[in-house]
Amino acid sequence: MKKIKVRFAPSPTGPLHIGGARSALFNYLFAAHQGGEFVVRIEDTDLERSRREYEEEILESLQWLGIQWTEGIEKGGENGPYRQTERLEIYQQYIQKLIEQGDAYYCFCTQEELEHERLQQLQSGQMQRYSGKCCGLSDEEVRQRLGSGLRPSVRFRVPAHQIYVVNDLVRGSVTFESDNSGDFIILKSDGIPVYNFAVVIDDVMMGITHVIRAEEHLSNTPRQLMLYDALNFTRPEFAHISLILGSDRQKMSKRHGATSLVQYRQMGYLPEALFNFLALLGWSPEGEQEILSREELIQAFTLERVAKSPAVFDMDKLNWMNQQYLKQKSVSELAELLRPYLAASEWSEMYSQLDQERYCLMVQAVRDHLVCLADINSQAGLFFREVEWDEEARQALSSELAQTVLSAVHSDLAEFSHPEEVKTFIKGTIKKLNLKAKDVYMPLRSALTGCTHGPELPYLILVLGRDECLRRIERAINTFG
Ligand code: GLU
C-alpha cells in the first residue's frame, strides 16, 4: 500500500486560527497513527493579504503546540520550494499543458466587462457565472491581443453536463454538477495562480494521498476534481472536517473571544492542554477518557471517528483541561512557566525580590487557583498589594471572636521556615482558644488577604514573612476592633 502522506497548507493572511490548528492537528495525528508523512507548505498566492510575519507566527504556533512535520517549509524535502509564490514556474508548465490540450484558454475580459456581465445576470435573475466570451477566440485573435501587450488571465474550460462526486471520508458521497460552474480563472493576469489550481498541482507534486481540511473547502473540491481529471492526475482521498461553533452554535468568531492560538498561548494555556482539547473538537476516541497524552491520541486517531456534525468550542472544558495539565506540573516547572507572566505584570518589581524558595512557596500557595498561567497576575496581588477587604471579609473580621483570634495570633506568631510549622502553629491556636478550625481560619485569612477564600494559608504566611503578617493583622485589628 502507498505510504500515507498528508499536508497542512495555511495561507499566511492572519495568525493561526483555532480551526486551522485543529486541521493541522488532525493531519498530524492521522499521519503519525499510520507512520505516514506530513508536509507543511505555505499558500501565499493572495499577494495582498499574505505577510511573512503571519507565516512565521503560524509556524511558531504549530511548533509551540508540538506539531512537527516531516517535510516542507523550514524543514526542506525533495518536493520544494514549499511556498507557492516560489513555485510559479512549475504552475506555468501545467497552465501551458491545459491550454495546449484545449482545456484552458486566455481570457482578455477586463474587470469592468466582467462586472457589467455580473450586473446584467443579476438583473435578469440568471445564474452568475462567466459567459464564455473569450472561450472561442481563434489562435490568430489570441496572438494579436497578446502581441498588442494585453495581459490575459487563463480560464479553465469546465466540461459540460458532468457530475462530480466527492467520496468524502467524513461526509460520505457529495455530488456536484459541472453545469453550476462557469469557466473559472486558474491563472490571474499578473501570472499568479488561484488557490484551486495551485493546490491541485502541489498536492500531486508532493504526493499527497489524503487531503484533510476544513469543511469550507468542500465547495472548492469539484473545481479541483475537474483539474485532476483534465491533467490525468490520480485523485487523493478527501476528508472535510466540520466547522467549529461557539457556545451559541454560531460559527466561531472574534465575538466568542480568543480565536487565534497565539491568544491562548498568551493567556497561559499549556500546549499539552490545547493539543488534547483540539483533538477532541470533532473527534472522539472510544470510551469516556478525555485526558489523553500525545501518544494516546496518536494511537487512537482514525478518520472514522471524526464527527460529521459541527464541533462546539466549550471554554469551560478547555479551562478544566488546562487545570488538569497544570496539576501535572511540579512546583518548579510551574514556577518557571509563570515567571514571564509575573515579570510582565504590575508586580514585576516585588516579584523579583523574592528568592527562589519564597517564590516557589508562593506558586505552591496559589497553584490550585490558576485556570491559566495569566491568572497569576490576580493571585499574586494577594501577596503584593495592600489588603482591601471584600464584604465577606469585613463581616468575618467584625466580631469579637475575630478580634480574639487575631490578637492571639499576633502575640504568638513566630518566623517560620516550613509549612508544617505554620500548620502546627495554627492547630495550636485553635486548640488554645478552644475554637472550631473555621473560626480561626476565616478571620486570619480575611486579615491577611482581604478575602474569605484563596491561597493555602501556611504557604501564604511563609511567603509574607512574620513582619508583613503582623502588619496586616494589626491593620485589621485597628480597623475592625
Ligand atoms: N490555504 C487554505 C487555507 O488556509 C488551505 C486549503 C487546503 O487545505 O486545501 O484555508
Side-chain angles (χ1 to χ4, degrees), residues 233-427:
F233 289 152
T234 308
R235 298 174 177 187
E237 300 281 357
F238 289 96
H240 287 91
I241 47 186
S242 301
L243 289 177
I244 300 177
L245 305 181
S247 48
D248 57 357
R249 312 255 152 181
Q250 300 295 313
K251 191 174 177 216
M252 179 95 172
S253 75
K254 294 212 170 88
R255 277 184 306 115
H256 297 101
T259 51
S260 74
L261 215 64
V262 188
Q263 288 169 300
Y264 286 93
R265 180 180 179 178
Q266 281 163 355
M267 287 188 271
Y269 286 89
L270 298 175
E272 309 89 296
L274 270 167
F275 192 99
N276 189 161
F277 177 75
L278 290 174
L280 300 183
L281 268 186
W283 171 82
S284 55
E286 274 176 55
E288 299 290 299
Q289 196 183 336
E290 296 210 279
I291 300 292
L292 294 118
S293 68
R294 165 189 306 264
E295 286 66 35
E296 287 171 322
L297 289 167
I298 290 174
Q299 185 91 50
F301 191 86
T302 59
L303 287 176
E304 286 78 44
R305 297 195 62 87
V306 170
K308 247 189 205 176
S309 51
V312 177
F313 191 98
D314 179 350
M315 198 63 207
D316 292 337
K317 183 164 167 183
L318 174 59
N319 285 337
W320 169 79
M321 215 170 246
N322 204 51
Q323 281 182 305
Q324 303 309 305
Y325 281 92
L326 282 174
K327 282 200 180 106
Q328 292 178 11
K329 299 279 176 201
S330 68
V331 178
S332 56
E333 281 172 321
L334 196 53
E336 285 318 300
L337 289 168
L338 290 169
R339 280 193 187 282
Y341 291 87
L342 284 165
S345 75
E346 58 184 303
W347 320 116
S348 63
E349 219 183 293
M350 289 183 252
Y351 138 78
S352 64
Q353 284 161 15
L354 291 179
D355 60 28
Q356 176 72 8
E357 200 187 333
R358 277 195 174 201
Y359 172 52
C360 284
L361 286 168
M362 181 178 110
V363 171
Q364 189 111 330
V366 300
R367 65 174 300 162
D368 289 344
H369 299 272
L370 302 176
V371 172
C372 56
L373 299 172
D375 288 344
I376 191 63
N377 295 345
S378 55
Q379 291 293 325
L382 297 174
F383 297 84
F384 300 135
R385 90 166 106 67
E386 188 62 308
V387 170
E388 284 167 27
W389 305 278
D390 68 17
E391 202 34 56
E392 283 174 32
R394 286 173 179 276
Q395 268 179 24
L397 289 166
S398 304
S399 69
E400 226 165 277
L401 194 59
Q403 292 296 314
T404 314
V405 169
L406 292 183
S407 303
V409 173
H410 190 270
S411 60
D412 296 346
L413 195 73
E415 190 72 78
F416 301 110
S417 56
H418 196 276
E420 283 311 315
E421 290 170 20
V422 190
K423 282 182 201 163
T424 311
F425 166 75
I426 298 179
K427 267 194 204 142

Side-chain angles (χ1 to χ4, degrees), residues 7 9-11 43 195 199 211 213 216-217:
R7 84 313 190 263
S11 303
E43 299 202 326
Y195 156 71
V199 73
V211 169
R213 63 185 171 196
E216 65 204 30
H217 288 294

Side-chain angles (χ1 to χ4, degrees), residues 176 196 213-224 240:
F176 298 90
N196 275 321
R213 63 185 171 196
E215 187 184 2
E216 65 204 30
H217 288 294
L218 183 61
S219 59
N220 286 318
T221 313
R223 289 185 174 194
Q224 295 171 17
H240 287 91

